[in-house]
Amino acid sequence: MKIEEIKHPELKNHINMIYMHSENQNQDAIDKTENEIREYIKDKEFIISVEDSKPVKIPYANDGEYLVPIFTDEAEYINGMQYFSLNVMDENKEYVIEKLDNFKKLKEDPNFLGYIVNIARVSYIINISLL
């Protein structure tokens, strides 16, 4: 699959719905939408930034915890790399197009908090309970 073929408008819609449900404090709707996200990401491929064939890790807090950025389309990836360059984190970065379950070892790492969608805007964190 080519980078320009990766598009996830449905996931973006789910993310927007989570924010709306959060503002309305509707936990049942949040849970339902999270289940829809869980089902959606099972068989979809995403753009994942890598370095030396390993996913790029973004430190989160000071205790070794981290997130792995993923991108839902080419424009998001380009914006994310621009964000990385502003923070001097873009050197030697490439991308792969993979399903999230191809990085199963991440799930076993207690410091892995999940995948961050669209790091340039800090859109949404897919936590490990959804994987």
Side-chain angles (χ1 to χ4, degrees):
M1 184 172 273
K2 297 177 183 176
I3 192 169
E4 57 271 7
E5 296 173 334
I6 300 292
K7 298 194 186 315
H8 294 288
E10 189 175 336
L11 178 61
K12 290 179 181 183
N13 186 45
H14 288 319
I15 291 169
N16 289 332
M17 293 305 292
I18 292 268
Y19 281 115
M20 287 181 11
H21 297 319
S22 294
E23 286 187 10
N24 295 325
Q25 299 176 356
N26 187 343
Q27 190 59 48
D28 290 338
I30 291 170
D31 294 342
K32 180 179 183 266
T33 306
E34 284 183 341
N35 284 331
E36 290 169 352
I37 288 173
R38 184 180 291 114
E39 286 301 311
Y40 182 84
I41 63 176
K42 275 185 185 177
D43 61 348
K44 302 293 189 278
E45 293 178 324
F46 293 89
I47 303 164
I48 303 171
S49 186
V50 295
E51 185 172 20
D52 297 328
S53 301
K54 295 180 183 172
V56 170
K57 297 176 181 180
I58 305 298
Y60 190 83
N62 292 325
D63 51 6
E65 295 178 331
Y66 63 92
L67 299 165
V68 171
I70 62 172
F71 307 94
T72 61
D73 58 37
E74 184 177 21
E76 217 175 75
Y77 177 75
I78 291 167
N79 289 337
M81 288 298 101
Q82 289 172 345
Y83 176 83
F84 281 153
S85 70
L86 291 174
N87 292 290
V88 194
M89 298 173 3
D90 66 333
E91 295 177 19
N92 303 318
K93 305 291 187 284
E94 297 178 5
Y95 70 87
V96 293
I97 296 171
E98 296 280 352
K99 292 181 181 178
L100 300 184
D101 65 358
N102 287 357
F103 297 103
K104 291 179 183 170
K105 287 190 176 185
L106 286 176
K107 239 177 123 172
E108 298 166 8
D109 184 346
N111 290 323
F112 175 58
L113 299 176
Y115 293 98
I116 185 166
V117 180
N118 190 4
I119 191 165
R121 293 195 179 144
V122 191
S123 178
Y124 183 73
I125 295 174
I126 298 175
N127 66 49
I128 57 172
S129 70
L130 298 177
L131 303 174

